[in-house]
Amino acid sequence: MSNVVRTERNLNFDEIVNRRESLCLKYNCASDVLPLWVADMDFKTSSFIQDALAEQVGHGIFGYSNAKEEYFEALQGFFRRRHDFEIESPSWVVRAPGVIFILAMAIKAFTQKGDAVLIQKPVYTHFAGVINDTERRVVSNDLVYSEDGRYHIDFEDFEKKIVENDVKVFLLCSPHNPVGRVWTREELLHVGEICLKHNVLVISDEIHSDFAFERKHIVYASLGEKFADHSITVTSPSKSFNIPGLQLSNSFIKNPEIRKAILHEIEATGYGLQNVLSLVAAQAAFQHGDQWLDAVRDYIKGNIDYVAEFVRNNLPNIKVIPTEATFLVWLDFSGLGKSPAEVNDLILNKAKVWLNSGALFGKVGENFQRINVACPRSILVEALNRIKSVLY
């Protein structure tokens, strides 16, 4: 990037951008359907990222690429600034095309076919998917939906599932998608101690870490040296800066033996280098994206609060699970007295709003729906009013 002083231009989150003709997965639906499902935003990314990409495209050559020292310095500075986490060495960082890619590599590196891998349902649907696709066995320590409307970990069951199934790998979703929990330090330490006791590798998916609202997100590897030494922390700028299509993740792996095993699996796929545009975009985000990220966080928090107020005032049989993190709100439809299939039909086919059915995240989520609120407020208002019109 040049040294010309610029200001952030893309701060109008009320702007409606037409994505239907942009090869967009999210809008691969009928023109009368509002898609609020897959977890990407309907906002233009930071203008600093746009400018960096335009400059790189203007160069006109798209050869093999690799990150330079400036990339690590930008990444290190970002996590030091925003998460009080010190990435001590460039050697800790393993780049890959995405979070699920790294989960697959870790599962293949540290388990055998038929082995159990532990997750906590209801959880991001690709957790179970990647376990099944690698021919391992899904074991779930289901989260407990409490009377306070929040989800909690059943630690007794967590350890029991590990012992009974000889679990070697645990996929931690932190912050948790879709239930929106920001795990406390005490909860993470309790999980970590159990995993250390039974020699379970923790793979912490922290892709939503920049959208923690009620309390500060704690990077799993920051809990202490012994936890960092037996874990993989997986991050990506894709959710934070709305660049998932550029496909880049950064994993922090302190233990050289764990890192070596992961790199071996990556090399076996034939994938060794990153897309030059993904590297350019990520570096610009880490160096110059704070203003945009702070602004989009504020806007999204306003949307989360709007959903909670709208549901409270207009949808009396639906509960909003408190959203401590992410731009995904988890809604409990069990009070309607309708089957999950009936709710799905009403919302998608009658209201013409595309949400994520809770059943996708495990049977324990079948009475829920997940709504992506990272969109202009006017779209969110329209979607909620459509839902209201078919339910009441």
Side-chain angles (χ1 to χ4, degrees):
M1 293 182 65
S2 68
N3 293 322
V4 176
V5 176
R6 286 164 291 187
T7 58
E8 180 59 63
R9 302 186 303 276
N10 294 341
L11 296 176
N12 180 13
F13 303 117
D14 288 320
E15 178 186 3
I16 297 177
V17 180
N18 182 9
R19 303 183 64 191
R20 291 189 184 274
E21 306 301 324
S22 65
L23 303 180
C24 175
L25 171 69
K26 185 176 183 180
Y27 280 81
N28 185 21
C29 57
S31 60
D32 61 346
V33 172
L34 292 179
L36 301 177
W37 62 291
V38 70
D40 72 4
M41 307 187 213
D42 287 332
F43 308 131
K44 290 181 180 179
T45 190
S46 166
S47 60
F48 286 96
I49 295 175
Q50 281 189 300
D51 292 346
L53 289 171
E55 185 173 326
Q56 186 68 33
V57 170
H59 183 258
I61 298 176
F62 304 93
Y64 296 117
S65 58
N66 209 346
K68 295 184 177 181
E69 182 179 352
E70 291 84 355
Y71 179 93
F72 172 73
E73 291 174 350
L75 176 67
Q76 183 185 50
F78 183 84
F79 273 84
R80 182 186 294 144
R81 260 189 335 271
R82 302 195 73 94
H83 298 293
D84 298 325
F85 178 63
E86 190 68 28
I87 311 167
E88 295 179 8
S89 167
S91 66
W92 283 24
V93 182
V94 173
R95 289 180 298 276
V99 167
I100 297 302
F101 182 91
I102 285 293
L103 299 190
M105 296 303 99
I107 288 170
K108 293 176 70 174
F110 297 103
T111 64
Q112 301 295 318
K113 290 182 179 180
D115 284 353
V117 177
L118 187 64
I119 61 177
Q120 294 175 313
K121 293 182 180 181
V123 73
Y124 180 48
T125 181
H126 287 293
F127 275 26
V130 73
I131 296 168
N132 290 323
D133 289 344
T134 53
E135 300 180 65
R136 274 62 172 177
R137 181 165 52 93
V138 175
V139 173
S140 180
N141 161 236
D142 292 351
L143 297 177
V144 178
Y145 183 34
S146 301
E147 292 182 0
D148 65 359
R150 297 176 188 266
Y151 283 82
H152 304 277
I153 299 171
D154 181 341
F155 293 103
E156 182 178 347
D157 180 71
F158 182 81
E159 186 165 17
K160 180 181 178 182
K161 291 288 174 61
I162 288 173
V163 173
E164 289 183 345
N165 295 279
D166 192 26
V167 169
K168 294 296 187 294
V169 169
F170 166 51
L171 305 185
L172 170 66
C173 196
S174 179
H176 194 282
N177 168 21
V179 309
R181 274 299 315 276
V182 178
W183 303 118
T184 65
R185 180 175 297 275
E186 291 72 25
E187 287 170 317
L188 291 172
L189 285 171
H190 200 164
V191 162
E193 291 291 357
I194 292 172
C195 288
L196 287 175
K197 176 182 176 181
H198 297 286
N199 195 32
V200 175
L201 177 69
V202 176
I203 306 172
S204 184
D205 171 4
E206 304 189 9
I207 197 170
H208 290 282
S209 59
D210 289 313
F211 294 99
F213 300 109
E214 286 202 10
R215 68 177 66 86
K216 191 173 182 61
H217 168 76
I218 298 171
V219 177
Y220 182 84
S222 72
L223 292 174
E225 186 172 349
K226 64 181 180 179
F227 300 103
D229 204 47
H230 202 61
S231 66
I232 300 170
T233 298
V234 192
T235 74
S236 172
S238 64
K239 302 301 183 194
S240 302
F241 294 97
N242 202 28
I243 52 174
L246 293 178
Q247 299 186 332
L248 180 71
S249 63
N250 297 289
S251 295
F252 310 139
I253 311 175
K254 179 182 179 182
N255 187 313
E257 293 304 313
I258 294 176
R259 192 165 59 242
K260 180 180 178 181
I262 294 293
L263 289 171
H264 174 77
E265 292 294 339
I266 292 175
E267 290 165 4
T269 69
Y271 184 91
L273 299 173
Q274 289 76 52
N275 180 321
V276 62
L277 296 182
S278 71
L279 295 173
V280 166
Q283 183 172 325
F286 297 140
Q287 287 177 325
H288 306 294
D290 288 71
Q291 181 186 3
W292 185 92
L293 182 55
D294 288 338
V296 82
R297 276 172 47 90
D298 289 343
Y299 191 91
I300 287 169
K301 184 61 170 67
N303 277 356
I304 291 170
D305 293 342
Y306 180 84
V307 170
E309 182 179 5
F310 184 95
V311 171
R312 183 168 55 251
N313 294 332
N314 297 278
L315 307 175
N317 301 114
I318 298 172
K319 295 179 181 178
V320 178
I321 307 309
T323 309
E324 298 175 1
T326 81
F327 47 80
L328 308 163
V329 177
W330 192 232
L331 301 172
D332 181 357
F333 282 75
S334 61
L336 283 177
K338 299 181 184 297
S339 71
E342 288 175 315
V343 172
N344 288 337
D345 179 64
L346 283 169
I347 292 175
L348 180 58
N349 298 318
K350 303 297 192 301
K352 301 293 185 180
V353 178
W354 188 1
L355 307 182
N356 276 130
S357 168
L360 295 172
F361 305 93
K363 185 173 178 57
V364 290
E366 65 181 5
N367 288 313
F368 293 77
Q369 297 279 330
R370 192 190 75 170
I371 180 171
N372 176 357
V373 302
C375 61
R377 183 74 52 80
S378 61
I379 292 178
L380 185 61
V381 170
E382 171 67 16
L384 291 171
N385 277 304
R386 287 189 187 188
I387 292 171
K388 176 185 175 183
S389 71
V390 301
L391 294 182
Y392 299 95

